[in-house]
Amino acid sequence: MMKTEDLNLTKSWDKVFPKSEKVEHQKVTFVNHFGITLAADMYSPKNTEGKLPAIAISGPFGACKEQSSGLYAQTMAERGFLTIAFDPSFTGESGGYPRAIHSPDMDVEDFQAAVDFLSVQENVDPERIGIIGICGWGGMALQTACVDTRIKATVTSTMYDMSRIAGNGYFDSADTEDARHQARLAINAQRTEDYKKGSYVRQGGVVDPLPEGAPYYVIDYHDYYKTPRGYHPRSLNSNDGWAASTGTSLMNTRLFTYSNEIRGAVLMIHGDKAHSCYMSRDAYADMVKGSKYADNKELLLIPGASHTDLYDGGGKDAIPFNQIESFMRKYLK
C-alpha cells in the first residue's frame, strides 16, 4: 500500500455553494501512482442501499473543489450517484510540492487515481464509474478517457484544450513557429531566474481590478473568481495563479491524439456564447471522425450560455443537470 501524506483538511463547510441536506458529506484522501495524496469531498445520497454508480469530478483548471466541481458533485449525489470532487496534485488541500504546478501526465494520473479510489469503495459498483471534467479539466477528462477503460461515461463541461492554448494561443492567434519560440524563450528565461532566487513567480490568477477595455471572457472570469459568487482562498485562479514556468509541459504535448478510439460514452457540453466553444466543437469533430465508436458520443450546446455560466449556472440554470443525469444513467447501468 502506498504511503499517504498527512494533510491538514478543513473540517468546516467552506464551499461557495450551500450545503444540501439530501446528501452525506465527508472528506476523503487517496494516493496517486506518483505517491501524492489527493484530498476530495465525497458526497453520498441519503437513504440508499446496495452498490451505487459513482462519478469523479474536477475542474476548472486552477480552481478548487470548493468551487464548481463541488457543486457538480453535490448535485449529482442528490440525483443518486456517489461522487467525489478532488483537488489536483500540488493544489488546494491536496499534497505535493512545490505548489501550483502541474503536468498533463500528472493531471491524467490524478483522474485515474480517483477511479482507483472509487473502484474499491464497498458501496460503489466498479463497473459503473464515470468522470466529469470542467474547463481545462474537461480536456484532462477526455484525455483520461482515451486511456482508462474502466471509465464507462465521460462528461466535459465548458471544455478547454490547455495544450492548444499553450501551443497556439487563444483563438489560435499565436499558431506560428516564431510565436512558439518566443514563448519558449520567455518561459525558459523565467526558469533561470526562478532557480537563481530559489523561488518561482506566479501568474495566471484573474486580474483585479479589471483593466479598461478587458476582453469579455476576462470579465466573465472576474465575475466568478473575484466576487463572492465564486471566490475561494485556495483557488489559484482567485489568487496568484500557477507557477509561470509550468507551461512548458503543455507546450510540448497535444491532447486527444487517440480520442477517436474512446469506446466509452462521451457527452461534451458547452455554452454557444462561450469564447471557448470552438475547442469543444473541434475536439468533438476529431473524436467522431473516422471512429467506429461515434454512436455514444454527443455534443450539447447550451443556447446563450457563456464559459462561466457552466461553472455554477450563471444565475440562469445553465448547467444541464437533467441531461447529465440521463446520460450517466444510460451508460452507467
Side-chain angles (χ1 to χ4, degrees):
M1 185 67 182
M2 288 178 281
K3 183 179 179 180
T4 60
E5 301 170 71
D6 292 325
L7 303 180
N8 184 22
L9 302 179
T10 302
K11 299 295 189 294
S12 61
W13 183 268
D14 63 345
K15 323 301 182 192
V16 302
F17 51 90
K19 186 175 183 179
S20 171
E21 297 303 319
K22 299 178 181 179
V23 304
E24 300 286 352
H25 165 262
Q26 67 181 105
K27 289 289 184 75
V28 297
T29 61
F30 53 94
V31 183
N32 71 17
H33 279 190
F34 294 101
I36 296 172
T37 300
L38 303 181
D41 286 297
M42 177 185 286
Y43 299 89
S44 307
K46 290 182 177 180
N47 304 316
T48 56
E49 296 180 357
K51 292 186 178 292
L52 302 173
I55 307 171
I57 306 169
S58 197
F61 198 79
C64 60
K65 65 187 182 305
E66 289 72 25
Q67 296 173 310
S68 184
S69 61
L71 173 64
Y72 274 67
Q74 181 174 261
T75 304
M76 294 306 293
E78 289 178 331
R79 293 164 179 255
F81 301 84
L82 185 142
T83 65
I84 57 171
F86 65 91
D87 285 328
S89 297
F90 312 112
T91 71
E93 292 188 302
S94 286
Y97 187 83
R99 307 300 291 169
I101 66 169
H102 78 96
S103 75
D105 183 51
M106 184 74 76
D107 299 337
V108 168
E109 167 56 29
D110 285 350
F111 248 134
Q112 292 199 270
V115 175
D116 295 340
F117 172 79
L118 290 174
S119 297
V120 300
Q121 300 308 302
E122 290 185 356
N123 57 342
V124 168
D125 182 346
E127 297 301 318
R128 293 192 291 162
I129 293 177
I131 61 175
I132 298 174
I134 306 159
C135 186
W137 272 81
M140 298 309 169
L142 188 62
Q143 181 75 352
T144 307
C146 293
V147 296
D148 199 322
T149 56
R150 299 171 299 174
I151 298 168
K152 302 302 189 293
T154 299
V155 172
T156 71
S157 181
T158 199
M159 191 274 291
Y160 248 53
D161 178 351
M162 298 303 299
S163 65
R164 184 172 178 177
I165 291 291
N168 297 4
Y170 279 95
F171 313 111
D172 299 324
S173 60
D175 186 15
T176 67
E177 184 273 336
D178 188 61
R180 281 185 283 274
H181 180 67
Q182 293 303 316
R184 293 173 187 132
L185 287 173
I187 290 176
N188 289 305
Q190 187 63 59
R191 285 182 67 108
T192 302
E193 288 302 309
D194 289 348
Y195 197 82
K196 286 178 183 178
K197 295 176 181 177
S199 61
Y200 50 85
V201 169
R202 301 267 293 273
Q203 68 178 24
V206 175
V207 62
D208 187 46
L210 278 170
E212 186 175 347
Y216 76 94
Y217 59 89
V218 174
I219 298 171
D220 202 30
Y221 286 136
H222 185 278
D223 188 50
Y224 182 80
Y225 286 111
K226 288 294 190 177
T227 71
R229 172 185 167 195
Y231 176 83
H232 197 279
R234 287 194 295 274
S235 168
L236 300 183
N237 293 341
S238 288
N239 296 283
D240 294 333
W242 297 92
S245 60
T246 198
T248 47
S249 58
L250 279 170
M251 292 181 70
N252 209 35
T253 301
R254 273 295 180 263
L255 302 178
F256 320 146
T257 301
Y258 299 109
S259 66
N260 69 351
E261 297 179 8
I262 297 172
R263 299 190 183 190
V266 178
L267 170 63
M268 304 189 72
I269 305 167
H270 225 112
D272 69 354
K273 300 301 182 187
H275 69 283
S276 50
C277 190
Y278 70 99
M279 296 187 218
S280 283
R281 291 181 187 272
D282 290 354
Y284 175 79
D286 289 341
M287 179 174 57
V288 300
K289 183 179 180 180
S291 173
K292 296 182 291 184
Y293 314 106
D295 288 348
N296 58 359
K297 309 299 189 291
E298 182 181 352
L299 175 64
L300 175 61
L301 299 181
I302 309 302
S306 73
H307 185 81
T308 63
D309 283 343
L310 294 185
Y311 285 7
D312 62 353
K316 49 192 173 186
D317 295 324
I319 304 172
F321 281 119
N322 288 340
Q323 289 93 326
I324 295 173
E325 178 186 356
S326 295
F327 173 81
M328 286 296 185
R329 291 206 178 282
K330 180 177 181 179
Y331 292 106
L332 301 184
K333 61 183 180 180

